[in-house]
Coordinates of all heavy atoms in Angstrom, one line a residue:
P323 N 6.5 -13.4 8.3 CA 7.5 -14.5 8.1 C 7.7 -14.9 6.6 O 8.8 -15.4 6.3 CB 6.9 -15.6 8.9 CG 5.4 -15.4 9.0 CD 5.3 -13.9 9.0
S391 N 11.6 -5.1 5.6 CA 12.2 -6.1 6.6 C 11.4 -7.3 6.6 O 10.2 -7.3 6.2 CB 12.1 -5.5 8.0 OG 13.0 -4.4 8.2
S392 N 12.0 -8.4 7.0 CA 11.2 -9.6 7.2 C 10.6 -9.5 8.6 O 11.0 -8.7 9.4 CB 12.0 -10.9 7.0 OG 12.7 -11.1 8.2
G393 N 9.5 -10.3 8.8 CA 8.9 -10.3 10.1 C 8.4 -8.9 10.5 O 7.7 -8.3 9.7
D394 N 8.9 -8.4 11.6 CA 8.5 -7.1 12.1 C 9.7 -6.2 11.9 O 10.8 -6.6 12.3 CB 8.1 -7.1 13.6 CG 7.6 -5.8 14.0 OD1 8.5 -5.0 14.5 OD2 6.4 -5.5 13.9
V397 N 11.9 -5.5 15.1 CA 12.6 -6.6 15.8 C 13.9 -6.9 15.0 O 13.8 -7.6 14.0 CB 11.7 -7.8 15.9 CG1 12.4 -9.0 16.6 CG2 10.4 -7.5 16.6
F398 N 15.0 -6.5 15.5 CA 16.3 -6.8 14.9 C 16.3 -6.5 13.4 O 16.7 -7.3 12.6 CB 16.8 -8.2 15.2 CG 16.7 -8.6 16.6 CD1 15.9 -9.7 17.0 CD2 17.4 -7.9 17.6 CE1 15.8 -10.0 18.4 CE2 17.3 -8.2 18.9 CZ 16.5 -9.3 19.3
A399 N 15.8 -5.3 13.1 CA 15.6 -5.0 11.6 C 15.7 -3.5 11.4 O 16.3 -2.8 12.1 CB 14.3 -5.6 11.2
V427 N 4.3 -9.8 11.4 CA 4.3 -10.9 12.3 C 5.8 -11.3 12.4 O 6.4 -11.8 11.4 CB 3.5 -12.1 11.8 CG1 3.6 -13.3 12.7 CG2 2.0 -11.6 11.7
S428 N 6.3 -11.2 13.6 CA 7.7 -11.5 13.8 C 7.9 -13.1 13.8 O 7.0 -13.8 14.2 CB 8.2 -10.9 15.1 OG 9.6 -11.0 15.2
A429 N 9.2 -13.5 13.5 CA 9.4 -14.9 13.4 C 9.1 -15.7 14.7 O 8.6 -16.8 14.6 CB 10.9 -15.2 13.0
T433 N 6.5 -18.7 14.6 CA 6.9 -20.0 15.0 C 6.1 -20.5 16.2 O 5.6 -21.7 16.2 CB 8.4 -20.0 15.3 OG1 9.1 -19.5 14.2 CG2 8.9 -21.4 15.7
F476 N 15.3 -17.0 20.6 CA 16.6 -16.7 20.0 C 16.5 -16.3 18.6 O 16.2 -17.2 17.7 CB 17.6 -17.8 20.2 CG 17.9 -18.1 21.6 CD1 18.4 -19.4 21.9 CD2 17.8 -17.2 22.6 CE1 18.8 -19.7 23.2 CE2 18.2 -17.5 23.9 CZ 18.6 -18.8 24.2
Y477 N 16.7 -15.1 18.2 CA 16.9 -14.7 16.8 C 18.4 -14.8 16.4 O 19.2 -14.8 17.3 CB 16.4 -13.3 16.6 CG 14.9 -13.1 16.6 CD1 14.3 -13.0 17.8 CD2 14.2 -12.9 15.4 CE1 12.9 -12.8 17.8 CE2 12.9 -12.7 15.4 CZ 12.2 -12.6 16.6 OH 10.8 -12.4 16.7
N478 N 18.7 -14.9 15.2 CA 20.1 -15.0 14.7 C 20.9 -16.0 15.6 O 22.0 -15.6 16.1 CB 20.8 -13.6 14.8 CG 20.1 -12.6 14.0 OD1 19.8 -12.8 12.8 ND2 19.8 -11.4 14.6
P479 N 20.4 -17.2 15.7 CA 21.0 -18.1 16.7 C 22.5 -18.5 16.3 O 23.3 -18.8 17.2 CB 20.1 -19.3 16.6 CG 19.4 -19.3 15.3 CD 19.3 -17.8 15.0
G508 N 11.9 -23.6 14.6 CA 11.1 -23.3 13.4 C 12.0 -22.8 12.3 O 12.8 -21.8 12.5
R509 N 12.0 -23.5 11.2 CA 13.0 -23.0 10.1 C 12.1 -22.6 8.9 O 11.2 -23.3 8.4 CB 13.9 -24.2 9.7 CG 14.9 -23.8 8.6 CD 15.9 -24.9 8.4 NE 17.0 -24.4 7.7 CZ 17.1 -24.4 6.3 NH1 16.1 -24.9 5.6 NH2 18.1 -23.9 5.7
D510 N 12.4 -21.5 8.3 CA 11.7 -20.9 7.1 C 10.2 -21.0 7.3 O 9.5 -21.3 6.4 CB 12.1 -21.8 5.9 CG 13.4 -21.3 5.3 OD1 13.9 -20.2 5.7 OD2 14.0 -22.1 4.5
I511 N 9.8 -20.6 8.5 CA 8.4 -20.6 8.8 C 7.6 -19.7 7.9 O 8.1 -18.5 7.6 CB 8.2 -20.2 10.3 CG1 8.7 -21.3 11.2 CG2 6.7 -19.9 10.6 CD1 8.1 -22.7 11.1
R513 N 7.4 -20.0 4.8 CA 8.1 -20.0 3.5 C 8.1 -21.4 2.9 O 7.9 -22.4 3.6 CB 9.5 -19.5 3.6 CG 9.6 -18.1 4.2 CD 11.0 -17.6 4.3 NE 11.1 -16.4 5.1 CZ 12.2 -15.8 5.5 NH1 13.3 -16.4 5.3 NH2 12.1 -14.8 6.3
M533 N 21.0 -20.2 10.4 CA 20.6 -18.8 10.5 C 19.1 -18.6 10.1 O 18.6 -17.5 10.3 CB 21.5 -17.9 9.8 CG 21.6 -18.1 8.3 SD 22.8 -17.1 7.5 CE 22.0 -15.5 7.6
R534 N 18.5 -19.6 9.5 CA 17.1 -19.4 9.1 C 16.2 -20.0 10.1 O 15.0 -20.2 9.8 CB 16.9 -20.0 7.7 CG 17.4 -19.0 6.6 CD 17.9 -19.8 5.4 NE 16.9 -20.4 4.7 CZ 17.1 -21.2 3.6 NH1 18.3 -21.3 3.1 NH2 16.1 -21.7 3.0
T535 N 16.7 -20.3 11.3 CA 15.9 -21.0 12.3 C 15.6 -20.1 13.5 O 16.4 -19.2 13.8 CB 16.7 -22.2 12.8 OG1 17.2 -23.0 11.7 CG2 15.8 -23.1 13.7
M536 N 14.4 -20.2 14.0 CA 14.0 -19.5 15.2 C 14.1 -20.6 16.3 O 13.6 -21.7 16.2 CB 12.6 -19.1 15.0 CG 12.0 -18.2 16.1 SD 12.8 -16.6 16.0 CE 13.1 -16.5 17.7
Ligands
SAH601 N1 12.7 -8.8 11.7 C1 12.7 -10.2 11.7 C2 14.0 -10.8 12.4 C3 15.2 -10.5 11.7 S1 16.6 -11.3 12.5 C4 11.4 -10.7 12.4 O1 10.8 -9.9 13.1 O2 11.1 -11.9 12.3 C5 16.8 -12.7 11.5 C6 16.5 -14.0 12.3 O3 15.1 -14.1 12.4 C7 16.9 -15.2 11.6 O4 18.3 -15.5 11.9 C8 16.0 -16.3 12.2 O5 16.5 -16.6 13.5 C9 14.7 -15.5 12.4 N2 13.8 -15.6 11.3 C10 13.4 -14.7 10.4 N3 12.5 -15.2 9.5 C11 12.3 -16.5 9.9 C12 11.4 -17.5 9.4 N4 10.6 -17.3 8.4 N5 11.5 -18.7 10.0 C13 12.3 -18.9 11.1 N6 13.1 -18.0 11.6 C14 13.1 -16.8 11.0

Side-chain angles (χ1 to χ4, degrees):
S391 288
S392 79
D394 183 273
V397 179
F398 310 121
V427 177
S428 192
T433 303
F476 296 154
Y477 286 79
N478 301 311
R509 182 172 193 274
D510 279 345
I511 293 299
R513 300 181 192 169
M533 63 183 288
R534 284 148 66 181
T535 309
M536 186 73 227

